[in-house]
Amino acid sequence: MFKGILIEKDEAGYRAAVQDIDPAALPAGDVTVQVAYSTLNYKDGLAISGKSPVVRRFPMVPGIDLAGSVIESSHPDVKVGDAVVLNGWGVGESHWGGLAQRARLNGDWLVPLPAAFSPAQAMAIGTAGYTAMLSVLALERYGLTPDRGPVIVTGAAGGVGSVAVAVLAKLGYRVTAVTGRPQEADYLRQLGATEVLARTDFSSPGKPLAKERWAGAVDTVGSHTLANVCAQMSYRGIVTACGLAGGMDLPASVAPFILRGVTLAGIDSVMCPRPERLQAWQRLATDLDLTKLSLITHEIGLTDAIPTATALLASQVRGRVVVDVNA
């Protein structure tokens, strides 16, 4: 038996609890991983709480991230003893995920744990940090360089935003951080932000076009925040959209795109092809200052994950939550 969070839905209702799970209940897969660490992300919070229909089948072990070592494998490219990381691929939604001591998975979903990181550090980065790096790669792909001008990061005190601020600052960008938590201003400056703005400056309906301010943007919020960021982009600015903490709508106009040549690039971390995943993790190994991880991260045990999920959805959690599934 192994311990894990199991989400169930039946006539008695929707519930999540830490349980002892029989290995025979693990889903199909060609690789079994002994999980060392997982994480708690916004999507995991939604799954555990049932506040959004994230879970596609029941029962379900949540957790869109995991790091651990392979204990069984029939996959030709994955060997017993390999240290591996998994992010996304519908894990924790339609396939049992990482908030348990064991996981059975499709070996094609796994990437090698970079030598630069311990399993705990890899989970301190997790899907949030990997998504942030995908956003940085997209900004670069569309030609953004530090000399073009400042970059804005919305939802900056969250997991994606925190890593984005840290990476962009290390790469030499002038970073403006936007947050709804003014008490986190010092934290964001420690990560490398040169300016901290209030979320309320962006969360109300704005003009189709506003004063040009930003050469690049990483948006984790959506809705009016993303619309206002687009309206404030400089000529040929690049915006990456990777989150919806503020809503799924986009009440914007075409003006920034057809009058200023602004690019809006969507970032999907769940089904991202393997070559881009490998590139993102390789770049994180060189472009993320690991000394910042202690600022970004706090660690909890498996039994603390359920109450922490509620705090996460209430925007009461800073940065990244690493879950030691064996504690």
Side-chain angles (χ1 to χ4, degrees), residues 9 52 71 88 120 150 161 215 231 240 273 280 295 297:
K9 183 181 180 182
S52 182
I71 56 174
T240 62
L295 296 174
T297 310

Side-chain angles (χ1 to χ4, degrees), residues 95-324:
H95 189 98
W96 283 19
L99 284 168
Q101 294 171 333
R102 195 170 295 184
R104 184 170 293 140
L105 306 156
N106 182 334
D108 291 338
W109 299 342
L110 303 172
V111 299
L113 173 69
F117 306 127
S118 68
Q121 288 173 323
M123 289 296 93
I125 296 165
T127 283
Y130 146 68
T131 301
M133 194 71 239
L134 289 176
S135 298
V136 172
L137 291 171
L139 293 174
E140 294 177 345
R141 189 162 57 247
Y142 286 100
L144 187 67
T145 53
D147 61 341
R148 288 271 303 274
V151 176
I152 187 169
V153 177
T154 66
V160 178
S162 293
V163 178
V165 169
V167 169
L168 288 164
K170 186 177 179 185
L171 290 172
Y173 290 90
R174 286 178 289 133
V175 183
T176 294
V178 179
T179 181
R181 292 176 265 174
Q183 69 273 19
E184 303 292 8
D186 288 343
Y187 160 73
L188 292 166
R189 290 190 177 93
Q190 285 180 286
L191 293 181
T194 56
E195 182 182 26
V196 180
L197 300 178
R199 179 174 61 195
T200 51
D201 294 344
F202 297 84
S203 56
S204 298
K207 298 177 181 179
L209 278 180
K211 180 181 177 181
E212 297 182 38
R213 302 179 68 181
W214 323 111
V218 175
D219 177 67
T220 73
V221 178
S223 193
H224 290 294
T225 296
L226 176 55
N228 284 317
V229 166
C230 289
Q232 296 176 16
M233 296 305 294
S234 299
Y235 183 72
R236 297 186 72 81
I238 306 102
V239 182
T240 62
C242 60
L244 46 70
M248 292 186 66
D249 59 323
L250 180 56
S253 80
V254 298
F257 311 109
I258 64 174
L259 298 180
R260 292 183 182 164
V262 170
T263 295
L264 178 59
I267 305 298
D268 166 50
S269 63
V270 176
M271 305 303 290
C272 180
R274 180 179 173 82
E276 292 180 37
R277 291 171 180 266
L278 292 171
Q279 183 187 16
W281 277 101
Q282 289 164 358
R283 285 287 302 273
L284 283 162
T286 59
D287 296 338
L288 176 62
D289 182 351
L290 292 185
T291 64
K292 304 291 188 186
L293 285 180
S294 61
L295 296 174
I296 294 171
T297 310
H298 74 277
E299 186 176 305
I300 62 174
L302 189 62
T303 56
D304 297 319
I306 293 174
T308 304
T310 301
L312 181 67
L313 295 182
S315 298
Q316 296 170 353
V317 175
R318 170 207 282 181
R320 302 281 297 131
V321 180
V322 174
V323 182
D324 180 348

Side-chain angles (χ1 to χ4, degrees), residues 25-78:
L26 285 166
D30 52 10
V31 176
T32 304
V33 174
Q34 189 71 39
V35 181
Y37 293 91
S38 185
T39 65
L40 199 64
N41 298 280
Y42 192 80
K43 187 179 287 185
D44 301 318
L46 293 174
I48 289 170
S49 68
K51 290 187 176 180
S52 182
V54 167
V55 177
R56 310 294 177 83
R57 61 182 64 174
F58 297 90
M60 177 60 59
V61 173
I64 64 174
D65 289 327
L66 64 84
S69 57
V70 175
I71 56 174
E72 296 177 5
S73 177
S74 59
H75 190 285
D77 299 324
V78 182

